[in-house]
Amino acid sequence: MVSSPHEAMHRIFQEHPGLFSGVSEVLGITISPPVSVTVMPTDLTENRPLERRVDTLLRLDTENDEPFLLAIEAQGKKDADKPASWAYYLSYLYTKFRLPPLLLVVCQDRATAEWASRRVQIGPRQWPALTLHPLVAGPHNMPVITDVAEARKDLALTTLAAITHAADPDIGAILKTLSTALRDVPENIADPLVELTAQGLGNRPAAQQWRNLVAVDLSFYKSFMAEEIRDEGRTEGIAQGILLFLAQAGVDVSDEARERITTCGDLDTLNRWLLRAPTARSAEDVFAEEQAAPQPK
């Protein structure tokens, strides 16, 4: 199953196809900004039972250079089979479209990024027929952006940089910079970036930091992911309020009761428990069922 970080690391190029201009500059190669970008089919299957798909495939037409194909792969770990697959992708794309292909590999792990960056020679040692040389973006070379003005210059690049630095000790400052930069951005631009960031952080501890920042800094956004993030922030706050009231009243809260409170995701239920908490003499008083309506005589 494809993970959320894997999806986000290549899908951001679908949402912001011009992002590669900023990435290529960061990675130290000169490629003219595209004047148009075409999202290409990603199915590289031949007419045989073997199926191969690249994560994202774009055609970039530039102002000064010839058009080229950009194949984007999100790589989460080292995989000895990948170089052969990547070489196949590039050869197939060149054969099918007669355009020069470029492979960009996006990683969140430094060791994986350095592994993916290696040149792989294909053919006899004396005369390699092909050399695989991916362009790699990862925590080893993507910028750590903690300046809001810099972040606003290219929000897509800032988002990708934050995703690639998901395990960085400074991720809190990186995410705070991104959330601040998104405050005054139109929702149709900011909402997808909010969601891609949440996807890209996956189940890392930084994901909760991002959810908290969105709940506080970006509370006016209405996207599904942003609403979900804010709801989670509200439920956590109410749950902590219930526990605080019970602690102040000297009520002993069992581990089972504490887990029931902190894992409840229903705002209406939590709000009912919150109203009962100040006068509760036990945790069971908080969970008491609503009084049944009197039956008509």
Side-chain angles (χ1 to χ4, degrees), residues 88-117:
Y88 172 87
Y89 296 164
L90 296 174
S91 299
Y92 178 89
L93 291 171
Y94 184 70
T95 301
K96 182 175 181 178
F97 296 105
R98 287 293 189 264
L99 289 173
L102 174 62
L103 173 63
L104 173 67
V105 181
V106 187
C107 306
Q108 291 176 296
D109 172 71
R110 179 180 293 270
T112 302
E114 292 173 349
W115 163 82
S117 299

Side-chain angles (χ1 to χ4, degrees), residues 22-248:
V23 174
S24 64
E25 183 177 347
V26 167
L27 300 182
I29 64 173
T30 302
I31 294 180
S32 301
V35 294
S36 69
V37 176
T38 306
V39 178
M40 305 287 286
T42 60
D43 188 351
L44 306 184
T45 308
E46 295 184 356
N47 293 325
R48 55 180 179 171
L50 182 63
E51 180 177 326
R52 298 179 187 269
R53 290 179 183 271
V54 66
D55 287 338
T56 289
L57 180 62
L58 304 173
R59 170 180 167 142
L60 277 68
D61 292 273
T62 68
E63 197 170 296
N64 301 319
D65 302 310
E66 62 179 332
F68 67 97
L69 298 176
L70 177 63
I72 302 163
E73 286 276 289
Q75 192 66 27
K77 61 182 180 180
K78 298 177 183 179
D79 183 345
D81 293 330
K82 273 298 182 177
S85 296
W86 291 339
Y88 172 87
Y89 296 164
L90 296 174
S91 299
Y92 178 89
L93 291 171
Y94 184 70
T95 301
K96 182 175 181 178
F97 296 105
R98 287 293 189 264
L99 289 173
L102 174 62
L103 173 63
L104 173 67
V105 181
V106 187
C107 306
Q108 291 176 296
D109 172 71
R110 179 180 293 270
T112 302
E114 292 173 349
W115 163 82
S117 299
R118 298 176 308 160
R119 295 188 185 216
V120 178
Q121 293 186 327
I122 301 170
R125 172 177 55 83
Q126 298 87 341
W127 193 279
L130 296 171
T131 299
L132 175 69
H133 188 200
L135 188 62
V136 178
H140 66 304
N141 57 10
M142 290 296 286
V144 175
I145 300 176
T146 55
D147 179 77
V148 175
E150 181 183 355
R152 285 175 173 154
K153 291 177 183 177
D154 192 333
L155 290 170
L157 178 63
T158 301
T159 299
L160 181 64
I163 291 172
T164 59
H165 287 290
D168 193 291
D170 293 327
I171 187 61
I174 295 169
L175 294 177
K176 178 62 178 177
T177 300
L178 176 57
S179 67
T180 303
L182 289 172
R183 281 181 185 171
D184 301 322
V185 177
E187 291 181 34
N188 64 324
I189 296 174
D191 278 358
L193 295 177
V194 168
E195 296 178 26
L196 283 166
T197 303
Q199 269 191 308
L201 297 174
N203 59 2
R204 290 176 170 82
Q208 188 56 53
Q209 292 179 268
W210 179 242
R211 289 173 181 270
N212 294 340
L213 286 168
V214 170
V216 174
D217 292 347
L218 306 172
S219 59
F220 49 87
Y221 289 133
K222 303 300 181 185
S223 74
F224 175 79
M225 180 69 73
E227 283 295 317
E228 179 184 334
I229 291 171
R230 286 194 297 278
D231 283 347
E232 288 188 8
R234 286 195 289 266
T235 58
E236 288 176 6
I238 295 173
Q240 292 304 314
I242 294 168
L243 294 173
L244 180 61
F245 276 128
L246 293 176
Q248 288 177 332

